[in-house]
Amino acid sequence: MGLSIREEPPSSGDEFLDLIADPFSTSIQQSSIYAAIVYSFVITGLLFLVFCFLRPRNNRVYARRAKYADEKHRPPPLDKGPFSWIKAVADAKEQTLVDTIGLDAVLCLRFLRMLRNIFGVLTVIGCCILIPVNYVGGAKYGGESATLTRFTPQYIYGGDRFWAYVAVAYLFEGTICGFIWWNYRAVFRLRRTYFESKEYKASLHSRTLLLTHIPPSSRTDAGIAGLIESSMPTADVPRGSVGRNVRDLPELIEQHDEAVRELEQYLAKYLSNPNQLPTKRPTCKVKKDDKILHGTAKVDAIDYLTDRIARLETSIKEVRESVDMRNPMSYGFASYDRIEDAHAVAYATRKKGPKGCDVYLAPKPHDLLWQNLSMSRKTRRARAFWDGLWMILLTVAFIVPNILTSAFLSNFANLGLVWKDFQTNLDAHRTGWAIAQGILAPLIQVLMYMGIPILFRRLWTHAGDVSRTSRERHVASRLYVFYVFNNLFVFSVFGSVWRYVSTVIGAHNEGVWEAMKHGQPFTQLVTGLCNVSTFWLTWQMQRNLGAAIDLSQAWTFVWSWFQRTFLSPTPREMIELSAPQPFPYAEYYNNYLFVSTVGLCMGSLQPIILPVTALYMGLEVLGKKYLHLYTHVTKTESGGRFWRLLVNRLLFAVLLGNAVIALVVGAKGVGDQNVFVMGKLLYAMVPLPFFLFGFKWYCKKSFDDKILYYSTIPYSDLESNHNVNNPKARKSDKVGVRFGNPAIYKKLITPMVHAKSQHLLKQVYGHRSNADNEIFAGPHHHSTDRATPANLGYGDVYLEEMDHHAPGHGIEGSAMPNMEVVEEADLDFENFKRRAEFREEFGGDGELYGRPEDLISRPGTPSTFTTFVENSPYGSPRAKRYSGSLPGSRRSSFTSARLADTKDESGGHSYAKGYQHAPIADAFPEQDLVDVNLPGTPLDADDVLRASDSRQSLVDRRSRDGSPADAYFNRSMRGDTSYESYRHK
């Protein structure tokens, strides 16, 4: 009797392996594609209409930047009509926008317009050439397939049809290179205009160089000047300033700020209902460095944080007073009188600095990452290695989630094969799950990567970047690599590779080499890419939804409502909610580059992706132009330094797109034929990468140096070659620059409490010995820094904080408030926009609010000296008579600031106790005068550049110990050891 063989059904494990090998075997159902289209465009349209009707009624959200900007940076006013903003935004010209929103924002908009125009032209080329070729050529094998699938080259084989793909590759590359060249020239003109602007020429960083890895023998002010002079002598002597060791001051200040914010959060939650306090006071865990004092048990949060803030303020003050010049650091700054000289030296030392140091064009002071300036090369290399390893491990870790999303979320039927209960539900509700499939797969793909930019930003800070803007450029470039590898390459290619490997392993009757040849790896790869291109079509459609969400500020509304309803926000958080938000350039540039890469790679496989990408870029141009004008700010202006990074990544995307076309031509057009005999199609594509590299080389030689440097030769050479009649600058015109670490001068923040809870503060602190003090007798409109040293001797002196109700009298220490009470009506960024603690985060260097710190200095830092002109105690009698009314004078600027904002008394320079007015010098003869900022002390340039024995204290201890008030000026001076005198010996 014959035995019947029973075939067992495949196990769930076998089904899972099959799905990994071919996750898009049945493609995405037509209904899910339609669902994605309807979902994307309908929700996008609704959000757009909501924005149009809410915008005139909510300036607090939709015009926050316009609300707080000064007259120069204020955008044009908008009418109340729901669609009136479109014409106003469209009519804004680029040259006007440079002054209004800054060059970084203008560059972002120009890049978006370039991408919109590129994909608009590629849409015409791709849809008019590739769709007819694919649809007609695949009629024989794909006649009954879905329409979108027939738009791909999946069903065409051999023949001369693939010459169309070769022609498209050349047209794509030529179009993109043409647009890049045109915009490169425009960016060059914008950058040169930026160099010639009054703001740039008057700024400190424009004529300053940053030096790192300075050898020990040159770590003095004069040593830096000599070091930089040895690389390229110039007509004028650079002013040097070596960095000082501030020890653990930055860490202490960071801990203080964290403690203040934590205390504010506990107080806000505890005092949220002023009519009835909770029965139990809040508790918290003790910080690691306080466990010896407080133990490991939970303690009263309010008392503990209050004491911790007081201890930290005391420690900060002690460290500030003990910082001296005995331990100079390996970094410093060299400043020139002429921008041409500084940039020429930076250009000459761009590859190799003098004595092994690195020379950069100095960023703006608030742009510097001060903790990384003194990092050694060994430490940088070690951190770069480990941080790079972490990025690789993170990239590998994301492979598994990508495989699972590609196998299951792209087609819920695959999930039903390994989860039978879900298959039952899927069969019962096919329409609903089809809609969910078209929405969830792209949405989860986006949500998976939301935290990656934050992690990368921390890694690059740890790796040793010297400025925030350079860190943002590195973050954008690494994000692009991460997204392209994980999102595009792994997600799109892994299924085809796995299927090919499983085919080779399953070929038991053939050798390995024969199995590999019969597996047709390139054909399987192209087929898999054609299938997955439909997923990327739905993903690109959801980019339109993202643009509408940004424009409507939906997340801002949701987060603001959630925070106000459930989280008991502190007064500081309420103020920050009303502030204009910084624009995250790294994340958005990565998004635009990745969308462009998907469009170029998948657009040749599924041409419908090209118009969808063009539509998205068009929406982004309009939406981001509005957001840059009316809601967002540039936190740190780099002057358009992102451009070269963007061009390089876009050219790489072109190269990747050409590789995809070459793969299609090789797999489908040549196939199994002899490549050396029948490979004319591939041979025709060989010049494409060489054309691309040649174009890149041309752009580098023609534009890059001119975009980065104001001049590549010193001013004296320019003068002799181009304008011999131009008189040399007078010595009185010289301005020296000194960058000081903000940890020495930064004003500490003060805890904020809502005024509605003011009457409860004595009850909260009733058990403390200082409960009856006047520290709760607010409201106060300025914060108080109790960690300011008594007197500073580091190139500047401070004014005592004066009592505004008693002119001429300082605020007594016992009356200093240590709690800032804020009224409900004052919980608006308008009242705090000039404070450093808010301005640095939500207004860059303060330029948006009419107070650009880089033109003079950061609050309380020494910056300019050795210029005796009319707006000074040393000027002529004529200057003194008119100094109060001169529009550019220091006095008039200070008065204007006071008149503009009488509530905010801490927005300008902050000074400590012990300030002494310099004696009035004899009047100079009347002459042509220059209006510049002056120091508080009559320092001589030679005294500043004098080689020190490194024992001069940064803080004048004699003033702190009770020395006479003029002790600073009575210090004995050694012989003239300045670099100036040495240079002319």
Side-chain angles (χ1 to χ4, degrees), residues 54-70:
L54 287 182
R55 179 199 58 79
R57 298 165 178 81
N58 197 332
N59 288 334
R60 186 183 180 91
V61 173
Y62 292 118
R64 58 178 71 187
R65 183 187 183 280
K67 178 182 178 182
Y68 304 126
D70 64 355

PDB file of all heavy atoms in Angstrom, residues 54-70:
ATOM      1  N   LEU A  54      -6.755  81.685  11.361  1.00  0.00           N
ATOM      2  CA  LEU A  54      -6.270  81.981  12.705  1.00  0.00           C
ATOM      3  C   LEU A  54      -5.184  83.044  12.723  1.00  0.00           C
ATOM      4  O   LEU A  54      -5.017  83.739  13.721  1.00  0.00           O
ATOM      5  CB  LEU A  54      -5.742  80.701  13.371  1.00  0.00           C
ATOM      6  CG  LEU A  54      -6.773  79.672  13.823  1.00  0.00           C
ATOM      7  CD1 LEU A  54      -6.063  78.502  14.497  1.00  0.00           C
ATOM      8  CD2 LEU A  54      -7.789  80.287  14.779  1.00  0.00           C
ATOM      9  N   ARG A  55      -4.434  83.159  11.653  1.00  0.00           N
ATOM     10  CA  ARG A  55      -3.285  84.067  11.630  1.00  0.00           C
ATOM     11  C   ARG A  55      -3.646  85.508  12.000  1.00  0.00           C
ATOM     12  O   ARG A  55      -2.980  86.108  12.863  1.00  0.00           O
ATOM     13  CB  ARG A  55      -2.617  84.037  10.245  1.00  0.00           C
ATOM     14  CG  ARG A  55      -1.418  84.959  10.121  1.00  0.00           C
ATOM     15  CD  ARG A  55      -1.076  85.251   8.688  1.00  0.00           C
ATOM     16  NE  ARG A  55      -2.183  85.858   7.965  1.00  0.00           N
ATOM     17  CZ  ARG A  55      -2.521  87.130   8.048  1.00  0.00           C
ATOM     18  NH1 ARG A  55      -1.843  87.937   8.837  1.00  0.00           N
ATOM     19  NH2 ARG A  55      -3.533  87.602   7.352  1.00  0.00           N
ATOM     20  N   PRO A  56      -4.688  86.127  11.408  1.00  0.00           N
ATOM     21  CA  PRO A  56      -4.966  87.524  11.780  1.00  0.00           C
ATOM     22  C   PRO A  56      -5.449  87.680  13.213  1.00  0.00           C
ATOM     23  O   PRO A  56      -5.419  88.791  13.753  1.00  0.00           O
ATOM     24  CB  PRO A  56      -6.076  87.937  10.793  1.00  0.00           C
ATOM     25  CG  PRO A  56      -6.069  86.899   9.717  1.00  0.00           C
ATOM     26  CD  PRO A  56      -5.614  85.644  10.370  1.00  0.00           C
ATOM     27  N   ARG A  57      -5.869  86.591  13.859  1.00  0.00           N
ATOM     28  CA  ARG A  57      -6.462  86.666  15.185  1.00  0.00           C
ATOM     29  C   ARG A  57      -5.513  86.221  16.291  1.00  0.00           C
ATOM     30  O   ARG A  57      -5.895  86.236  17.458  1.00  0.00           O
ATOM     31  CB  ARG A  57      -7.728  85.796  15.227  1.00  0.00           C
ATOM     32  CG  ARG A  57      -8.807  86.260  14.252  1.00  0.00           C
ATOM     33  CD  ARG A  57      -9.871  85.200  14.050  1.00  0.00           C
ATOM     34  NE  ARG A  57     -10.937  85.662  13.159  1.00  0.00           N
ATOM     35  CZ  ARG A  57     -10.852  85.653  11.836  1.00  0.00           C
ATOM     36  NH1 ARG A  57      -9.756  85.176  11.255  1.00  0.00           N
ATOM     37  NH2 ARG A  57     -11.841  86.111  11.095  1.00  0.00           N
ATOM     38  N   ASN A  58      -4.298  85.812  15.936  1.00  0.00           N
ATOM     39  CA  ASN A  58      -3.382  85.313  16.959  1.00  0.00           C
ATOM     40  C   ASN A  58      -1.945  85.695  16.600  1.00  0.00           C
ATOM     41  O   ASN A  58      -1.159  84.881  16.150  1.00  0.00           O
ATOM     42  CB  ASN A  58      -3.507  83.787  17.078  1.00  0.00           C
ATOM     43  CG  ASN A  58      -2.903  83.261  18.371  1.00  0.00           C
ATOM     44  OD1 ASN A  58      -1.983  83.857  18.916  1.00  0.00           O
ATOM     45  ND2 ASN A  58      -3.431  82.143  18.847  1.00  0.00           N
ATOM     46  N   ASN A  59      -1.610  86.971  16.795  1.00  0.00           N
ATOM     47  CA  ASN A  59      -0.246  87.431  16.524  1.00  0.00           C
ATOM     48  C   ASN A  59       0.760  86.869  17.522  1.00  0.00           C
ATOM     49  O   ASN A  59       1.953  86.829  17.243  1.00  0.00           O
ATOM     50  CB  ASN A  59      -0.189  88.961  16.553  1.00  0.00           C
ATOM     51  CG  ASN A  59      -0.873  89.561  15.346  1.00  0.00           C
ATOM     52  OD1 ASN A  59      -0.969  88.931  14.296  1.00  0.00           O
ATOM     53  ND2 ASN A  59      -1.363  90.783  15.496  1.00  0.00           N
ATOM     54  N   ARG A  60       0.269  86.449  18.684  1.00  0.00           N
ATOM     55  CA  ARG A  60       1.179  85.907  19.692  1.00  0.00           C
ATOM     56  C   ARG A  60       1.866  84.643  19.192  1.00  0.00           C
ATOM     57  O   ARG A  60       3.003  84.350  19.590  1.00  0.00           O
ATOM     58  CB  ARG A  60       0.388  85.602  20.968  1.00  0.00           C
ATOM     59  CG  ARG A  60       1.238  85.168  22.149  1.00  0.00           C
ATOM     60  CD  ARG A  60       0.365  84.830  23.331  1.00  0.00           C
ATOM     61  NE  ARG A  60       1.149  84.417  24.484  1.00  0.00           N
ATOM     62  CZ  ARG A  60       1.595  85.231  25.418  1.00  0.00           C
ATOM     63  NH1 ARG A  60       1.339  86.521  25.329  1.00  0.00           N
ATOM     64  NH2 ARG A  60       2.306  84.780  26.441  1.00  0.00           N
ATOM     65  N   VAL A  61       1.201  83.894  18.319  1.00  0.00           N
ATOM     66  CA  VAL A  61       1.781  82.668  17.768  1.00  0.00           C
ATOM     67  C   VAL A  61       2.299  82.884  16.360  1.00  0.00           C
ATOM     68  O   VAL A  61       3.403  82.454  16.025  1.00  0.00           O
ATOM     69  CB  VAL A  61       0.736  81.524  17.783  1.00  0.00           C
ATOM     70  CG1 VAL A  61       1.264  80.292  17.061  1.00  0.00           C
ATOM     71  CG2 VAL A  61       0.367  81.180  19.211  1.00  0.00           C
ATOM     72  N   TYR A  62       1.526  83.573  15.529  1.00  0.00           N
ATOM     73  CA  TYR A  62       1.828  83.658  14.108  1.00  0.00           C
ATOM     74  C   TYR A  62       2.637  84.895  13.712  1.00  0.00           C
ATOM     75  O   TYR A  62       2.946  85.048  12.534  1.00  0.00           O
ATOM     76  CB  TYR A  62       0.532  83.626  13.302  1.00  0.00           C
ATOM     77  CG  TYR A  62      -0.165  82.293  13.370  1.00  0.00           C
ATOM     78  CD1 TYR A  62      -1.436  82.184  13.927  1.00  0.00           C
ATOM     79  CD2 TYR A  62       0.446  81.139  12.900  1.00  0.00           C
ATOM     80  CE1 TYR A  62      -2.091  80.959  13.997  1.00  0.00           C
ATOM     81  CE2 TYR A  62      -0.186  79.916  12.970  1.00  0.00           C
ATOM     82  CZ  TYR A  62      -1.447  79.833  13.516  1.00  0.00           C
ATOM     83  OH  TYR A  62      -2.075  78.617  13.586  1.00  0.00           O
ATOM     84  N   ALA A  63       2.949  85.762  14.652  1.00  0.00           N
ATOM     85  CA  ALA A  63       3.779  86.920  14.323  1.00  0.00           C
ATOM     86  C   ALA A  63       4.648  87.301  15.512  1.00  0.00           C
ATOM     87  O   ALA A  63       4.895  88.482  15.765  1.00  0.00           O
ATOM     88  CB  ALA A  63       2.907  88.093  13.895  1.00  0.00           C
ATOM     89  N   ARG A  64       5.142  86.304  16.226  1.00  0.00           N
ATOM     90  CA  ARG A  64       5.902  86.596  17.438  1.00  0.00           C
ATOM     91  C   ARG A  64       7.229  87.279  17.116  1.00  0.00           C
ATOM     92  O   ARG A  64       7.707  88.126  17.876  1.00  0.00           O
ATOM     93  CB  ARG A  64       6.113  85.328  18.250  1.00  0.00           C
ATOM     94  CG  ARG A  64       6.832  84.224  17.512  1.00  0.00           C
ATOM     95  CD  ARG A  64       7.027  83.017  18.421  1.00  0.00           C
ATOM     96  NE  ARG A  64       5.771  82.339  18.676  1.00  0.00           N
ATOM     97  CZ  ARG A  64       5.629  81.340  19.547  1.00  0.00           C
ATOM     98  NH1 ARG A  64       6.663  80.930  20.241  1.00  0.00           N
ATOM     99  NH2 ARG A  64       4.471  80.749  19.706  1.00  0.00           N
ATOM    100  N   ARG A  65       7.845  86.893  16.004  1.00  0.00           N
ATOM    101  CA  ARG A  65       9.093  87.554  15.631  1.00  0.00           C
ATOM    102  C   ARG A  65       8.841  89.010  15.254  1.00  0.00           C
ATOM    103  O   ARG A  65       9.591  89.907  15.648  1.00  0.00           O
ATOM    104  CB  ARG A  65       9.756  86.825  14.462  1.00  0.00           C
ATOM    105  CG  ARG A  65      11.098  87.403  14.056  1.00  0.00           C
ATOM    106  CD  ARG A  65      11.634  86.755  12.802  1.00  0.00           C
ATOM    107  NE  ARG A  65      12.940  87.260  12.473  1.00  0.00           N
ATOM    108  CZ  ARG A  65      13.148  88.411  11.852  1.00  0.00           C
ATOM    109  NH1 ARG A  65      12.114  89.145  11.478  1.00  0.00           N
ATOM    110  NH2 ARG A  65      14.380  88.825  11.590  1.00  0.00           N
ATOM    111  N   ALA A  66       7.796  89.250  14.480  1.00  0.00           N
ATOM    112  CA  ALA A  66       7.456  90.621  14.098  1.00  0.00           C
ATOM    113  C   ALA A  66       7.077  91.459  15.312  1.00  0.00           C
ATOM    114  O   ALA A  66       7.306  92.670  15.340  1.00  0.00           O
ATOM    115  CB  ALA A  66       6.305  90.596  13.091  1.00  0.00           C
ATOM    116  N   LYS A  67       6.543  90.830  16.326  1.00  0.00           N
ATOM    117  CA  LYS A  67       6.105  91.553  17.515  1.00  0.00           C
ATOM    118  C   LYS A  67       7.273  92.107  18.307  1.00  0.00           C
ATOM    119  O   LYS A  67       7.186  93.201  18.875  1.00  0.00           O
ATOM    120  CB  LYS A  67       5.262  90.608  18.386  1.00  0.00           C
ATOM    121  CG  LYS A  67       4.774  91.211  19.687  1.00  0.00           C
ATOM    122  CD  LYS A  67       3.992  90.190  20.484  1.00  0.00           C
ATOM    123  CE  LYS A  67       3.535  90.771  21.818  1.00  0.00           C
ATOM    124  NZ  LYS A  67       2.809  89.760  22.625  1.00  0.00           N
ATOM    125  N   TYR A  68       8.395  91.365  18.346  1.00  0.00           N
ATOM    126  CA  TYR A  68       9.500  91.737  19.219  1.00  0.00           C
ATOM    127  C   TYR A  68      10.687  92.364  18.484  1.00  0.00           C
ATOM    128  O   TYR A  68      11.583  92.899  19.130  1.00  0.00           O
ATOM    129  CB  TYR A  68       9.994  90.501  19.984  1.00  0.00           C
ATOM    130  CG  TYR A  68       8.910  89.810  20.769  1.00  0.00           C
ATOM    131  CD1 TYR A  68       8.651  88.457  20.599  1.00  0.00           C
ATOM    132  CD2 TYR A  68       8.136  90.510  21.683  1.00  0.00           C
ATOM    133  CE1 TYR A  68       7.660  87.821  21.312  1.00  0.00           C
ATOM    134  CE2 TYR A  68       7.138  89.880  22.407  1.00  0.00           C
ATOM    135  CZ  TYR A  68       6.896  88.534  22.221  1.00  0.00           C
ATOM    136  OH  TYR A  68       5.919  87.911  22.928  1.00  0.00           O
ATOM    137  N   ALA A  69      10.738  92.274  17.163  1.00  0.00           N
ATOM    138  CA  ALA A  69      11.898  92.770  16.420  1.00  0.00           C
ATOM    139  C   ALA A  69      11.941  94.294  16.439  1.00  0.00           C
ATOM    140  O   ALA A  69      10.918  94.970  16.584  1.00  0.00           O
ATOM    141  CB  ALA A  69      11.859  92.255  14.984  1.00  0.00           C
ATOM    142  N   ASP A  70      13.152  94.842  16.275  1.00  0.00           N
ATOM    143  CA  ASP A  70      13.275  96.287  16.166  1.00  0.00           C
ATOM    144  C   ASP A  70      12.854  96.726  14.762  1.00  0.00           C
ATOM    145  O   ASP A  70      12.482  95.917  13.919  1.00  0.00           O
ATOM    146  CB  ASP A  70      14.703  96.729  16.489  1.00  0.00           C
ATOM    147  CG  ASP A  70      15.711  96.196  15.481  1.00  0.00           C
ATOM    148  OD1 ASP A  70      15.316  95.417  14.598  1.00  0.00           O
ATOM    149  OD2 ASP A  70      16.898  96.552  15.587  1.00  0.00           O
TER     150      ASP A  70
END
